[in-house]
Amino acid sequence: MTGWADARRTAHAAGRPLPPVAVPFADSLGCALADPLWALAPLPAFDTAAMDGWAVRGAGPWRVVGRVLAGGAAAAPLQDRQAVEVATGAQTPLGTDAVLPYEHGAVVGVELVGEVQPGRHVRRAGEECPA
């Protein structure tokens, strides 16, 4: 009689991978890739806001110098203690340290105040998938 461990080793050694075959995409549900899938561009393609709020640089308070909506052109690079209002998915300006969500910040007079951790709420270019 063969023991459980021996039976597992025998079964494992008996298996062999099947050769790869080309399958039309429409018929590929449940299949596995034979080779790595390569992205032609990084995902996301550029740094984006993960939350609605303000892209900020440096320690606050900040001076709000613009606004960027998702799909819009990026704002000019941020200087220290500057902020740009951003929508989720919007391209963050160069120099962005973090995104301060609306619910964690407030504009008081001409200054934006709030607390944010460096790197928070920014999806960096290629973070999801590098090129």
Side-chain angles (χ1 to χ4, degrees):
M1 176 174 264
T2 301
W4 180 249
D6 288 335
R8 285 180 55 104
R9 277 192 292 279
T10 300
H12 187 322
R16 300 280 181 255
L18 296 172
V21 295
V23 177
F25 180 74
D27 299 329
S28 66
L29 183 63
C31 294
L33 293 173
D35 293 310
L37 182 62
W38 298 97
L40 299 177
L43 296 174
F46 43 78
D47 292 357
T48 64
M51 302 280 288
D52 291 337
W54 298 272
V56 299
R57 179 171 178 176
W62 303 272
R63 183 172 48 91
V64 179
V65 295
R67 182 176 190 214
V68 180
L69 299 176
L78 287 176
Q79 301 302 313
D80 196 39
R81 295 184 50 158
Q82 285 186 337
V84 169
E85 188 176 8
V86 291
T88 302
Q91 185 171 354
T92 57
L94 289 175
T96 296
D97 290 331
V99 171
L100 176 63
Y102 285 134
E103 56 269 24
H104 297 289
V107 176
V108 178
V110 295
E111 292 183 324
L112 169 64
V113 296
E115 291 187 30
V116 68
Q117 297 171 348
R120 192 84 167 130
H121 305 302
V122 178
R123 294 179 59 227
R124 298 293 179 191
E127 184 177 296
E128 189 173 322
C129 176

